[in-house]
Amino acid sequence: PVVPPTAQPGDPPFIAVDVAQLEYSTNSSVFIDARSPEEFACGTIPGSINIPFEYLPDDLESYLDSVLAGMPKDTGIVVFCSGEECDLSLHLARNLQDFGYTNAAIFFGGSREWEQFGLEIERREECE
């Protein structure tokens, strides 16, 4: 898997595209896109939840519980953003871990690597 230089001991695990695809195809994990709503609309892994890291409210724990509909804290979660130049997924996954989500992983290759491997991308609007 792609691991960013800012990774630290204790971070959620990083997974490669093949592991992310397996989690996706078996419905084993919830996919969370950490990018802005605009980027999310331009192309994301189908069925992903958008939790834009740069727009998180102060009461983050309540927000996450609301957005994730009170899902069990041990639910499989795969957090991603656009790819290797984007570390929003790392920061969001750290927050999820801090709030007790015990089964979060980071797909640092993100939507760009997903698409490069010929996997489906959901586009809500056409973007450049």
Side-chain angles (χ1 to χ4, degrees):
V2 179
V3 177
T6 55
Q8 300 174 355
D11 279 342
F14 293 87
I15 61 172
V17 66
D18 59 333
V19 176
Q21 198 275 332
L22 180 64
E23 292 293 306
Y24 180 82
S25 66
T26 58
N27 291 317
S28 301
S29 294
V30 172
F31 279 67
I32 297 176
D33 189 331
R35 298 174 299 161
S36 71
E38 295 79 22
E39 290 176 286
F40 177 76
C42 288
T44 191
I45 296 171
S48 296
I49 298 170
N50 186 213
I51 300 180
F53 181 77
E54 293 178 332
Y55 300 96
L56 293 176
D58 291 335
D59 187 6
L60 182 54
E61 188 167 19
S62 295
Y63 173 77
L64 290 173
D65 286 344
S66 172
V67 171
L68 299 176
M71 74 181 192
K73 300 261 180 152
D74 63 349
T75 300
I77 297 172
V78 174
V79 185
F80 68 96
C81 52
S82 56
E84 296 178 33
E85 76 292 335
C86 174
D87 62 357
L88 301 175
S89 57
L90 172 60
H91 297 300
L92 183 57
R94 286 175 177 164
N95 278 290
L96 288 164
Q97 186 172 267
D98 288 346
F99 289 119
Y101 290 89
T102 59
N103 202 8
I106 303 164
F107 171 40
F108 204 69
S111 61
R112 183 170 298 120
E113 186 178 15
W114 185 268
E115 190 169 20
Q116 285 173 342
F117 271 76
L119 301 169
E120 182 183 356
I121 292 287
E122 177 182 355
R123 299 186 196 286
R124 292 183 170 88
E125 57 186 61
E126 289 303 314
C127 306
E128 291 184 21

